[in-house]
Amino acid sequence: NPYAGLVSHLRASWLSGKTRPMEYRRAQLEALGRFLDDKKQEILEATELDMGKPSFEAFFSEILLCKNELNVTLNNLCHWMKDEHVDKNLVMQLDSAFIRKEPYGVVLIIAPWNYPIHLFLVPLIGAIAAGNCAIIKPSEISKNTERLIAETLSCYLDTDCFAVVTGGVPETTRLLENKFDYIFFTGSPRVGQIVMTAAAKHLTPVTLELGGKNPCYVSDTCDVNNVARRVAWGRFYNAGQTCIAPDYLLCTIEMQEKLMPALREAINEFFGPNPRESPDFGRIVSDKQFRRLRALLSSGRVALGGQTDEAERYIAPTVLADVQPSDPAMQEEIFGPILPIVVIANMDEAIDFINARPRPLALYAFSCDSKIVNQVLERTSSGGFCGNDTLMHVTLTSLPFGGIGNSGLGKYHGKFTFDTFTHHRGCLHRNMGLEALNAPRYPPYTQQKLGLLTSAFEVKRRGTCTLL
Amino acid sequence: MERMQQIVGRARAAFKSGRTRPLEFRIQQLKALERMVQEKEKEILAALKADLNKSGPDAYSHELLGVLRELVQAVEKLPSWAAPQHVKKDLLTLRDEAYIHYEPLGVVLVIGAWNYPFLLVMQPLIGAITAGNAVVVKPSEVSENTARLVAELLPQYLDKDLYAVVTGGAPETTELLTQRFDHILYTGSSKVGRIVMAAAAKHLTPVTLEMGGKSPCYIDKDCDLAVACRRITWGKYMNCGQTCIAPDYILCDPSIQGKVVENIKATLKEFYGEDVKSSPDYGRIINQRHFKRILGLLEGQKIALGGETDEASCFIAPTILMDVSPESKVMEEEIFGPVLPIVTVKSVEEAIEFINLREKPLALYVFSNKKQLIKRVIAETSSGGMTANDVLMHAVVPGLPFGGVGHSGMGAYIGWYSFETFSHRRSCLIKDLKWEVVNKLRYPPGSMEMMHL
């Protein structure tokens, strides 16, 4: 077991208790802030090398959003760590009942390549805030960022408690043989299954942030130009390599017709007449992904874009019209700058289409009519939902971020990350006196004692329910 | 296999019909369950007596009361629990609606245990119904009378398609676990917990595992020993020791070991009389297999009290073992029986070290007059839950989550925590299609100056 030594070293640090004091956690979190500040240029450069990530995007997702999470955490850490006192019943009025927030121990964070800093750092913030030690396993596919993390993070964090492990599938498999006290995984459903199966051997709880095909319904009543801009922005951000990107559009044939020029206009506004020359449009992360995406272009008909360049791993912002459910683009999560449009007759058909498929990580609905947005919300299920925009629901740290079914289990962001890495221990500190009050619970059991117990512990109905 | 597929398929179709969504429907089902518990009280108590030799008041106070409490709370609180929770917004989302929308997960599987066979299927079932799910219940076959009764009664009171009961043992459960569920709540051993989680992994199904372990009980020299021992006796020998949060073993200074035994002996007489075997309030071991298992733990041990057994009736007298070696068999597995080992330690440091060398337990107990000592034990150990100066009671505080950590479990339920466990918290952000000018800040072409706005 090649990682046994590392894991036991971290476990020894954990058992020493050094990650428990608030000051320690604060110091580590502030060090993470310095990492983001000091290494900002390196991060922008590494992510550009890895997937042509535009600096504008990299700054927003890898630096700004991460700093937001850091600040929310630092601002609230003291409050989150405190014991939470709870309501007591009659018998316990002199006792103290509270939830103690406890770290789990040594946690493992496995991050993917598409937002390679953000997707290890935001979970790590919660893990540290909650008092754990952590092993970080960045993706080997975003190799420049992986190298940056492996080489520089140790200069900022306590190496007794936080370590980076690099490598690919074989290394991750060996790493997963060890016992961890929590595993946080972001990646594909297929690998999510492997992680959860490995976790089951040690009864390790997990959070799995996975993916799927995020539908985007556009009703007939809407401001076509604004819709086109918001959808194009969400779809082509990071060249489509975003787990919450709108994966495909559902609309009527009339709307498809109206949307096309609006989408063309939006793409032109964002990236100019030749997106290949725009510094604001990314590239595909690997040859394997590029080839996979290129094969999807034979779905429906290419209405916008469609150009590719293998040497640069460039795929133009592309819109496919009249795509059939049986087409290649509708068989897997796209994860690229291709937007298929599937034509449906009406909202009911759109909802049925969505509900016939695995529950997605995100779901989008556009309409000027709020009733329509609400109907789509009420009649479908997804990790998260955004009405009349894309991606934005995950930028609010007060909203939990996570999937459902195949798109994931668990949630994080803001306090939810802290809670994810915290064991909520129910504690009751009773009085040694007043033993007489306990008498009804002791044998010999009698009906009379039962009556007393019932009145002491019963939750009384407050009156008729106003719903009926 | 087909039968399981059909049952789960029917539940899923019924869920998809949408009829569990309106709160009125769920409340109606919960009220029907309440009627069931009230109307069929006699039958339920009879089943519990047949399975575990529980007397009427015992079974009522330790199973039915908890179920009724859960039902009343669910009916009362459902409207507030299910209401969308609006969240704090930031500058960019000031004009929008941002809230958490509570939704059912779909079809939930509840696997019960045999020690509190009615409570441990009903409480999860109540939580799952309250959150709007369809439910498949698999009571433990070991407590066969209660399993049979649950299978008979539920369809008489609840929607038959939405809420189904599957009976059977390991083969049936294995088959059931090949089906896809949207959440599985399992109560039982860690060994089977691993199997359940591995099966759940195939479908990426979230799980709540309520397992067990050896719940330690530290008695400080400075405490009211008589009161402490009475409380410990109550929690240890309730249901003949077959309680997941029972104090499993005692840690104390050698100088008070003898007094602990004396106090427990006196309390046992108070509770069960001179002849424990003839007390209606003392239970029996569930079956021969567990009887033999517990008997095996007594081998080579110094029996300070008890030790009498009767195989025919699965009777094991309340037993205390003194000067137990940490390496002995009785200290290796969860006892789940009326055998209380005492392991001596010289200090609270030693006790804490002893506890931390072992897997995290489901419950932890400490008795002391010294507040600081108690705080220290809480701070330097971990467990699912804990009670100081009493046993079991943290499990009946309405606001506390009930669950384990590490090998003793993952996830929590009871009350609000059940609702949360069986719900999906869907984040919703509803924006306006107007006010595009604000969005222009984030669109390309970008510039670093824009970023600093």
Side-chain angles (χ1 to χ4, degrees):
Chain A
N1 189 341
Y3 300 105
L6 176 63
V7 178
S8 64
H9 179 79
L10 256 58
R11 200 167 283 290
S13 303
W14 152 253
L15 288 169
S16 78
K18 79 193 290 209
T19 59
R20 311 294 291 256
M22 183 170 68
E23 300 73 44
Y24 176 88
R25 305 182 201 187
R26 234 178 229 293
Q28 297 301 303
L29 290 171
E30 306 218 333
L32 273 183
R34 284 197 306 277
F35 165 77
L36 287 173
D37 287 334
D38 296 348
K39 299 296 171 193
K40 183 174 97 186
Q41 239 351 88
E42 286 87 333
I43 291 171
L44 299 186
E45 279 162 14
T47 52
E48 176 164 17
L49 282 170
D50 281 332
M51 66 202 91
K53 200 185 272 280
S55 303
F56 189 84
E57 289 183 7
F59 182 80
F60 189 73
S61 68
E62 308 307 280
I63 312 283
L64 187 71
L65 288 181
C66 294
K67 294 210 88 182
N68 278 356
E69 291 280 345
L70 258 174
N71 292 339
V72 166
T73 304
L74 283 165
N75 288 341
N76 292 288
L77 184 57
C78 181
H79 176 66
W80 293 350
M81 278 175 69
K82 281 205 172 89
D83 289 340
E84 252 180 66
H85 286 263
V86 301
D87 283 336
K88 296 168 291 194
N89 50 34
L90 214 65
V91 179
M92 294 180 186
Q93 284 311 306
L94 289 180
D95 308 322
S96 176
F98 56 93
I99 300 171
R100 166 64 55 93
K101 313 296 178 69
E102 292 184 351
Y104 279 108
V106 180
V107 309
L108 172 62
I109 297 171
I110 303 176
W113 52 261
N114 57 334
Y115 293 87
I117 298 287
H118 182 115
L119 292 174
F120 92 82
L121 204 96
V122 177
L124 180 62
I125 288 169
I128 294 176
N132 300 280
C133 291
I135 291 184
I136 298 130
K137 166 64 191 73
S139 171
E140 74 284 13
I141 295 176
S142 42
K143 54 184 191 294
N144 296 284
T145 315
E146 183 201 42
R147 190 180 319 128
L148 177 67
I149 298 168
E151 284 170 9
T152 61
L153 203 63
S154 52
C155 307
Y156 292 86
L157 296 179
D158 181 347
T159 51
D160 281 334
C161 302
F162 308 103
V164 178
V165 167
T166 55
V169 173
E171 287 78 10
T172 311
T173 308
R174 298 312 307 273
L175 191 54
L176 283 168
E177 286 166 16
N178 293 281
K179 177 184 171 145
F180 291 98
D181 302 300
Y182 203 94
I183 298 177
F184 189 104
F185 170 81
T186 308
S188 71
R190 189 182 64 84
V191 180
Q193 270 178 4
I194 296 170
V195 171
M196 189 169 172
T197 306
K201 293 197 174 72
H202 296 288
L203 287 170
T204 300
V206 301
T207 292
L208 305 174
E209 295 275 331
L210 312 171
K213 291 181 76 59
N214 306 317
C216 181
Y217 171 67
V218 179
S219 84
D220 286 336
T221 48
C222 68
D223 180 327
V224 177
N225 294 305
N226 288 350
V227 171
R229 252 183 246 114
R230 295 173 191 198
V231 171
W233 177 72
R235 172 74 279 187
F236 302 120
Y237 200 92
N238 200 29
Q241 297 159 116
T242 307
C243 53
I244 43 162
D247 187 276
Y248 64 98
L249 217 96
L250 289 166
C251 64
T252 59
I253 195 140
E254 293 83 29
M255 183 44 61
Q256 184 183 239
E257 207 110 327
K258 288 200 196 119
L259 269 175
M260 216 54 82
L263 284 166
R264 177 179 295 115
E265 181 52 39
I267 292 171
N268 189 56
E269 242 181 74
F270 292 170
F271 310 118
N274 188 0
R276 199 160 155 189
E277 290 164 12
S278 164
D280 297 322
F281 185 70
R283 294 292 181 270
I284 306 308
V285 75
S286 69
D287 295 327
K288 180 172 156 204
Q289 292 293 326
F290 172 86
R291 286 193 283 267
R292 178 186 68 80
L293 285 164
R294 192 175 50 189
L296 300 181
L297 291 172
S298 60
S299 313
R301 62 179 165 86
V302 177
L304 298 174
Q307 301 88 355
T308 67
D309 182 315
E310 186 149 7
E312 265 188 56
R313 292 198 293 272
Y314 166 80
I315 297 183
T318 301
V319 179
L320 305 172
D322 300 320
V323 175
Q324 296 305 308
S326 51
D327 281 333
M330 290 306 290
Q331 304 316 311
E332 57 184 78
E333 183 176 359
I334 292 169
F335 227 67
I338 300 168
L339 179 67
I341 303 183
V342 174
V343 164
I344 38 85
N346 50 46
M347 181 188 71
D348 287 328
E349 224 182 89
I351 290 175
D352 287 341
F353 189 94
I354 291 168
N355 288 338
R357 286 160 176 74
R359 291 178 289 187
L361 185 55
L363 203 149
Y364 302 108
F366 286 84
S367 179
C368 284
D369 184 349
S370 63
K371 282 200 285 297
I372 291 182
V373 171
N374 260 306
Q375 277 236 14
V376 176
L377 171 61
E378 291 288 331
R379 289 164 60 186
T380 60
S381 181
S382 63
F385 178 92
C386 188
N388 292 329
D389 208 339
T390 58
L391 314 190
M392 292 301 285
H393 59 292
V394 310
T395 63
L396 202 53
T397 57
S398 50
L399 283 176
F401 175 59
I404 184 175
N406 267 28
S407 57
L409 55 98
K411 57 203 150 306
Y412 73 125
H413 284 187
K415 180 167 189 276
F416 299 101
T417 323
F418 177 85
D419 285 337
T420 288
F421 288 105
T422 297
H423 168 53
H424 293 76
R425 186 185 192 187
C427 301
L428 176 66
H429 184 159
R430 300 211 74 191
N431 205 289
M432 273 269 223
L434 300 172
E435 183 60 356
L437 281 180
N438 283 342
R441 77 189 196 195
Y442 296 139
Y445 299 127
T446 63
Q447 279 301 129
Q448 189 204 35
K449 278 183 177 177
L450 186 57
L452 284 168
L453 260 184
T454 308
S455 10
F457 280 95
E458 214 173 28
V459 172
K460 297 255 193 305
R461 220 12 114 38
R462 239 193 293 242
T464 39
C465 182
T466 52
L467 247 159
L468 299 172
Chain B
M1 176 61 113
E2 242 179 75
R3 192 181 134 244
M4 301 295 181
Q5 237 170 18
Q6 270 174 17
I7 292 173
V8 181
R10 240 197 332 264
R12 194 167 289 288
F15 173 74
K16 283 195 162 159
S17 77
R19 61 181 182 274
T20 63
R21 304 305 289 262
L23 303 190
E24 301 83 60
F25 177 84
R26 306 180 204 179
I27 289 174
Q28 188 197 83
Q29 297 296 303
L30 293 171
K31 289 198 162 158
L33 274 182
E34 199 181 20
R35 272 197 322 276
M36 181 186 94
V37 177
Q38 288 159 347
E39 289 168 13
K40 301 291 174 183
E41 184 184 308
K42 251 195 10 236
E43 287 87 337
I44 298 168
L45 295 180
L48 293 170
K49 174 111 178 96
D51 281 329
L52 287 145
N53 200 43
K54 285 195 213 212
S55 70
D58 180 348
Y60 194 92
S61 57
H62 300 142
E63 298 214 39
L64 274 68
L65 205 60
V67 173
L68 287 169
R69 229 188 20 236
E70 198 76 351
L71 278 165
V72 170
Q73 191 188 35
V75 168
E76 176 101 39
K77 298 278 186 167
L78 178 52
S80 68
W81 288 348
Q85 193 191 326
H86 288 264
V87 300
K88 196 158 155 237
K89 297 182 286 193
D90 60 18
L91 216 65
L92 278 177
T93 47
L94 222 50
R95 296 197 72 254
D96 311 320
E97 254 191 273
Y99 59 92
I100 299 170
H101 193 239
Y102 286 89
E103 303 177 358
L105 291 166
V107 182
V108 171
L109 172 63
V110 172
I111 302 176
W114 53 259
N115 58 335
Y116 291 86
F118 189 67
L119 183 74
L120 296 175
V121 303
M122 289 297 289
Q123 267 177 340
L125 172 64
I126 291 165
I129 292 177
T130 310
N133 301 283
V135 192
V136 174
V137 173
K138 208 320 257 151
S140 170
E141 72 285 9
V142 178
S143 44
E144 56 186 346
N145 296 282
T146 313
R148 195 180 314 126
L149 186 66
V150 167
E152 263 172 42
L153 290 182
L154 287 190
Q156 287 174 33
Y157 287 83
L158 299 178
D159 181 313
K160 289 194 223 337
D161 291 326
L162 283 169
Y163 314 110
V165 182
V166 169
T167 53
E172 285 80 7
T173 312
T174 309
E175 238 187 77
L176 196 51
L177 283 169
T178 59
Q179 300 301 310
R180 170 182 217 111
F181 293 97
D182 302 300
H183 195 100
I184 300 175
L185 189 147
Y186 164 79
T187 306
S189 71
S190 314
K191 183 167 86 80
V192 178
R194 280 190 183 86
I195 298 172
V196 172
M197 188 171 171
K202 293 201 174 63
H203 294 289
L204 291 168
T205 300
V207 298
T208 299
L209 305 177
E210 297 274 332
M211 302 176 293
K214 294 183 76 61
S215 301
C217 180
Y218 176 68
I219 307 177
D220 184 29
K221 277 192 284 195
D222 180 3
C223 85
D224 186 333
L225 216 50
V227 171
C229 291
R230 187 178 301 119
R231 298 180 183 187
I232 291 169
T233 308
W234 171 69
K236 174 77 203 182
Y237 300 106
M238 178 190 291
N239 202 25
C240 211
Q242 298 161 119
T243 305
C244 52
I245 45 170
D248 186 278
Y249 64 97
I250 287 181
L251 291 166
C252 69
D253 192 276
S255 64
I256 58 169
Q257 199 182 191
K259 285 203 238 60
V260 168
V261 176
E262 286 312 307
N263 275 292
I264 295 179
K265 187 174 180 186
T267 308
L268 283 168
K269 222 169 268 173
E270 252 181 70
F271 287 178
Y272 305 115
E274 288 292 338
D275 180 21
V276 181
K277 201 162 172 206
S278 56
S279 163
D281 299 324
Y282 189 70
R284 295 292 181 268
I285 303 304
I286 184 82
N287 61 22
Q288 289 285 315
R289 181 169 75 87
H290 279 283
F291 174 87
K292 289 197 171 81
R293 178 187 65 80
I294 298 166
L295 216 58
L297 301 177
L298 298 177
E299 272 167 44
Q301 295 297 339
K302 188 161 146 199
I303 296 179
L305 183 73
E308 300 91 0
T309 65
D310 173 33
E311 186 159 344
S313 58
C314 286
F315 166 80
I316 299 181
T319 302
I320 306 177
L321 307 173
M322 276 176 84
D323 295 317
V324 177
S325 150
E327 283 81 41
S328 52
K329 196 149 181 250
V330 76
M331 287 308 290
E332 274 171 27
E333 58 181 78
E334 185 174 357
I335 294 165
F336 228 66
V339 172
L340 181 60
I342 303 180
V343 175
T344 55
V345 289
K346 297 279 179 33
S347 63
V348 71
E349 286 82 21
E350 216 184 294
I352 290 172
E353 210 190 302
F354 188 96
I355 292 169
N356 287 341
L357 279 171
R358 290 165 169 69
E359 294 296 340
K360 295 176 195 174
L362 183 55
L364 189 146
Y365 304 109
V366 49
F367 287 82
S368 176
N369 284 332
K370 300 204 280 280
K371 240 184 167 167
Q372 274 308 111
L373 186 141
I374 291 176
K375 280 191 157 157
R376 188 171 166 197
V377 171
I378 300 177
E380 294 179 26
T381 61
S382 186
S383 63
M386 64 84 55
T387 300
N389 294 332
D390 207 341
V391 298
L392 313 188
M393 296 299 280
H394 60 282
V396 300
V397 180
L400 291 180
F402 181 70
V405 66
H407 282 199
S408 58
M410 62 178 79
Y413 74 121
I414 298 298
W416 153 250
Y417 299 98
S418 286
F419 184 79
E420 207 184 52
T421 290
F422 293 118
S423 293
H424 171 54
R425 283 194 268 185
R426 189 181 190 190
S427 293
C428 299
L429 180 67
I430 316 287
K431 302 193 74 135
D432 218 292
L433 261 180
K434 307 189 289 255
W435 299 97
E436 188 62 354
V437 73
V438 178
N439 283 350
K440 298 237 160 105
L441 285 175
R442 74 191 199 210
Y443 294 150
S447 64
M448 291 317 251
E449 289 80 46
M450 288 279 237
M451 221 45 260
H452 294 296
L453 259 167

